[in-house]
Amino acid sequence: MASQPFARLRSSHGGILYGGDYNPEQWPQSVWKEDMRLFKEAHINEVTLNVFSWALLQPSEDTYDFSMLDRIVDLCKENGLKIVMATGTGAMPPWLTKAHPDVNRVGYNGEHFRHSGRENFCATSPTFLTLAPRLAGKLAEHYVQRGDAGKPDSPIVAWHVSNEYSGFCWCDRCAAQFREWLKARYGTIEKLDEAWNANMWSHTYHSFDEIDTPSGLGDGMPTPNQYVTGHAVLGGYSLDYRRFYGQQVLHEYELEKAAIRRADPTALVTTNMMGTFNDYDYLDWRTDHAGAGTGVDFVSWDSYPGLGEDAAAIDLRHDLMRGVGTQKPWMLMEQAPSNQNWMPYCYVKRPGQMEELSWQAVAHGADAVQFFQMRQARSGCEKFHSGIISIDGTDQSRTFKECAALGGKLEKLSADILATVPQAGQVALIFDWNSWWGLQFSVGPTSALDYVHEMQRWYRELHRRNIAVDVVSATDDLSQYRAVIAPCLYMFTDAMTANLRSYVSGGGRLLLTPMSALADQNDELFVGQTPVPLRKEVGVWVEETDSLAPSTPVPLVFASHAPVTNTGTASQPNGNMLFNIVHADPRTQVLATYGSQFYKGTPALTFAASEKDESGRTDLAAGIGGIMYCATMPDEAGTRDVIDCLLAGRHVREVESDPLVEITRRTAADPSGHDLVFVINTAEGARTAVAPESGVDLLTGQRVSQGQELELASFGTVIISVQ
Ligand code: GLA
Ligand code: ZN
């Protein structure tokens, strides 16, 4: 089972890992001892080492020198710290980029980059694909030989490959390898032309040699950001380059992982992901359960909430990452102790906010809480980024004190927390990178469409009701979910169609939205009555799609039989942005209609049942399965009403709370254990919440009775051990 990695991390240390990126190589050795003292004071038990030290480890192509890292490892060992060891390949040494320019990327607009920043290697560079895994392998061999890795009680508990993989290369070699990849995928050029439907704007290819990359100099339509790809001329072309390049990056990761595993077959290997990150399909990085040992052994990710982001936006990313890890516990690899200097507004975390964000992560499945970085940098581009130890270098800063206080709490609560696992979701939200890319590459029907915002639209409403949500892939087993939401699930494969059909025919309740089920994996629209793959099951034909500016909402008029509970108290529900004009089949129930425009009175929300209950009922309240079709993007009130309909009769556990309080459960791993309910005030200012369960507040030791009013301090948390 994939939860084993965490079981091993736990048993090696017996607690929640608490620490993060530690870069002592940026400081004189005299400071290191003081670091150790302060770490102890802050209850830090882990450091992530060597994230960007390649140039120090390998001064030239034939010389490796791990002496400084050895000194750091020894010091950490002496101080009882566990280590997450990075391979250091996230940034390249200057000698490497000079001696082997093939490692350097070519940008979207054709720029030939030289030595620069980090995370900018070309993923098809033979030099990089040799030297990076070689370094990873040498490090692993070295630390296994030293006895620092490879045993159950070794200080090195996990390996961290590279750092935040990102971006693309558009060099000629990548283009050549792309052609080989296409040959393997399509076999003949005729098949490729057919897949891409290339007879458009004279794009018919007669030989694979004619194919370049869809860069900004080619078919990628211009965008101001050199790293970001724009719209596509041929969707299949741009999508295939995404898939191809993502696979090269994953291949690079796998080479480093294999090199580590050769030295230590038991090594746990991960790389830090970035949540709703567009570049690569993280679902391809999932742990391989079949035993090939590929992918990440556990998910780790870096959470950096932007100014003003609400708890739902943050939790969606946590839940997505948990979903990538097949709902197993995950590692919070990085968060900022306070401000993030690379954001437009470097807000400092408010008193209590860092702790609150940490509990949010734990509540959503994190079994480790780590930071970037341990000591604030004194120079370079990260000098204004917070560290646990601030520039004053003492234990006197607010940031240090808050980190130390949290460290103490985690230490105390470790056993209780680690005896629980993330709760199983009752509702699933389907996240699909191909659909995200397909929509992004499409020209129209509106430039206002943002795939992640569409996820948030639905997630936020479930979050407000404190419903447990799993974020899943469209081909995951859905049978356990009381409802499934597929926002803008644009691209379908046969396997996806079959999976959704079987969910619905087995009594599942599925919600589809505009831009769902429109295209195949080559971005070719399905021809026929939309949504073609599920036309029969969905019970509507989407004939046209109107797109209006945000200033032109269209009222949603709910039918009296629609199981909307908020009517009367809620504000007027409206649709926005996209308005599908649909025809409902006779058997389809119309739950809401449009209240204006020429399509006034036509269906805006429908339900087609896939079954009857024992007494022959097909209404929503009877709880029966089927497909709900929401033909527009509902506003907040509209989303609330649609979710009312979706969940009617499905017995989904909702917990009422102040909108700024979230209530999240972790379930006891062992039936004799205790569930934990996290009641979290996610904002500044005191609030109250009604205790949803009786038990003991682990943070205060006080008894809590169900129904009791809990006083939550600003960003305060109560963790009820249910008993
Ligand atoms: C990312 C990187 C870190 C550091 C932080 C700063 O997450 O992985 O190396 O640069 O950002 O917030
Ligand atoms: Zn390249």
Side-chain angles (χ1 to χ4, degrees), residues 52 118 163-164 272 302 304 334 342 372 382 385:
F52 295 109
R118 61 177 183 178
N163 189 72
E164 295 190 338
N272 46 345
D302 302 345
Y304 288 99
E334 294 179 22
W342 47 271
F372 176 89
E382 297 195 308
H385 193 288

Side-chain angles (χ1 to χ4, degrees), residues 21 23 51-52 118 160 162-165 272-274 301-304 333-337 339-343 371-373 381-382 385-386:
D21 282 26
N23 300 306
V51 182
F52 295 109
R118 61 177 183 178
H160 170 308
S162 193
N163 189 72
E164 295 190 338
Y165 282 108
N272 46 345
M273 297 180 172
M274 290 182 279
W301 95 275
D302 302 345
S303 181
Y304 288 99
M333 186 67 93
E334 294 179 22
Q335 66 172 339
N339 69 300
Q340 295 142 194
N341 70 316
W342 47 271
M343 290 204 164
F371 297 88
F372 176 89
Q373 65 174 329
C381 57
E382 297 195 308
H385 193 288
S386 55

Side-chain angles (χ1 to χ4, degrees), residues 122 124 169 171 173-174:
C122 162
T124 69
C169 178
C171 75
R173 186 186 44 253
C174 284

Side-chain angles (χ1 to χ4, degrees), residues 189-268:
I189 196 66
E190 291 75 22
K191 285 236 170 74
L192 175 141
D193 280 330
E194 194 187 319
W196 291 358
N197 202 7
N199 299 348
M200 194 229 169
W201 291 4
S202 194
H203 271 52
T204 315
Y205 295 103
H206 297 285
S207 149
F208 282 99
D209 296 338
E210 294 165 8
I211 300 171
D212 206 334
T213 64
S215 74
L217 301 178
D219 260 357
M221 296 189 198
T223 130
N225 183 337
Q226 65 189 2
Y227 292 117
V228 175
T229 48
H231 291 315
V233 174
L234 300 182
Y237 183 18
S238 289
L239 280 158
D240 275 346
Y241 199 72
R242 274 289 165 120
R243 295 170 181 141
F244 154 76
Y245 198 82
Q247 286 179 17
Q248 305 314 301
V249 176
L250 177 55
H251 173 63
E252 196 288 317
Y253 164 85
E254 298 291 5
L255 291 177
E256 290 197 43
K257 178 173 181 181
I260 296 166
R261 281 277 174 89
R262 270 194 295 279
D264 173 9
T266 65
L268 298 175

Side-chain angles (χ1 to χ4, degrees), residues 491-548:
M491 292 191 148
F492 267 53
T493 58
D494 291 346
M496 284 161 66
T497 306
N499 195 39
L500 294 176
R501 267 198 197 135
S502 92
Y503 171 65
V504 171
S505 64
R509 195 176 280 175
L510 171 68
L511 175 67
L512 295 179
T513 75
M515 306 311 292
S516 289
L518 295 188
D520 69 12
Q521 293 295 299
N522 299 313
D523 198 25
E524 185 165 326
L525 297 180
F526 297 117
V527 177
Q529 290 194 340
T530 296
V532 175
L534 295 171
R535 170 68 187 86
K536 206 172 109 245
E537 294 80 358
V538 75
V540 293
W541 165 35
V542 180
E543 187 188 0
E544 292 180 88
T545 298
D546 192 21
S547 168
L548 299 173

Side-chain angles (χ1 to χ4, degrees), residues 672-685:
S672 63
H674 303 288
D675 284 11
L676 298 182
V677 175
F678 293 75
V679 183
I680 307 178
N681 178 3
T682 65
E684 214 165 5

